[in-house]
Amino acid sequence: KVQMAESGGGSVEAGGSLRLSCAGSGYTYSIYCMGWFRQAPGKEREGVASIETRGSTHYADSVKGRFTISQDNANNTLYLQMNSLKPEDTAMYYCAADWIRSRCGGVGNIQYYAYRGQGTQVTVSS
């Protein structure tokens, strides 16, 4: 059974930093890409950042220069380093993974990836 578990969320003041982690296990197929998407109350899901196994990364314009996605393939762990956090970054953050190459690339499809975790809450106060 595939399991993806996020951790590292919390409450910070604007300008602060958080590092999210996502531990994955039980994948049936070789994962080609992983990513993070978020959803704030009353808003649509938004792709945040994605990374492919070959190392290519993609970011939403709203987080470019502030967030960094990385992965530890040996341990099947995905990370999201979030710096200079803003109140508008407040949301539930989900990690996701997929093995179908055509679904990978960019940030628009992250919410449709085959596997996803349960989410971790990030709250940024002004």
Side-chain angles (χ1 to χ4, degrees):
K1 180 181 178 181
V2 174
Q3 291 187 323
M4 300 185 74
E6 302 94 338
S7 61
S11 298
V12 296
E13 293 185 349
S17 298
L18 284 173
R19 189 192 194 204
L20 305 184
S21 299
C22 173
S25 63
Y27 297 121
T28 303
Y29 303 102
S30 295
I31 297 301
Y32 187 78
C33 59
M34 302 184 73
W36 296 90
F37 69 92
R38 65 188 180 186
Q39 187 166 25
K43 294 188 177 181
E44 294 185 353
R45 292 175 177 174
E46 176 190 21
V48 175
S50 68
I51 185 167
E52 299 170 22
T53 53
R54 60 184 179 179
S56 299
T57 58
H58 308 274
Y59 296 93
D61 289 343
S62 58
V63 306
K64 279 181 182 177
R66 300 188 298 122
F67 291 10
T68 302
I69 190 171
S70 60
Q71 60 187 359
D72 179 347
N73 290 327
N75 295 307
N76 280 336
T77 303
L78 180 70
Y79 301 100
L80 185 68
Q81 178 66 43
M82 305 187 295
N83 299 328
S84 301
L85 282 162
K86 304 175 180 180
E88 51 263 45
D89 294 318
T90 295
M92 185 73 79
Y93 283 71
Y94 301 86
C95 63
D98 209 321
W99 75 89
I100 296 181
R101 190 170 299 190
S102 62
R103 284 205 287 253
C104 298
V107 296
N109 284 338
I110 300 173
Q111 61 183 303
Y112 303 112
Y113 285 1
Y115 307 123
R116 68 180 66 172
Q118 296 299 309
T120 186
Q121 178 67 37
V122 171
T123 302
V124 184
S125 59
S126 58

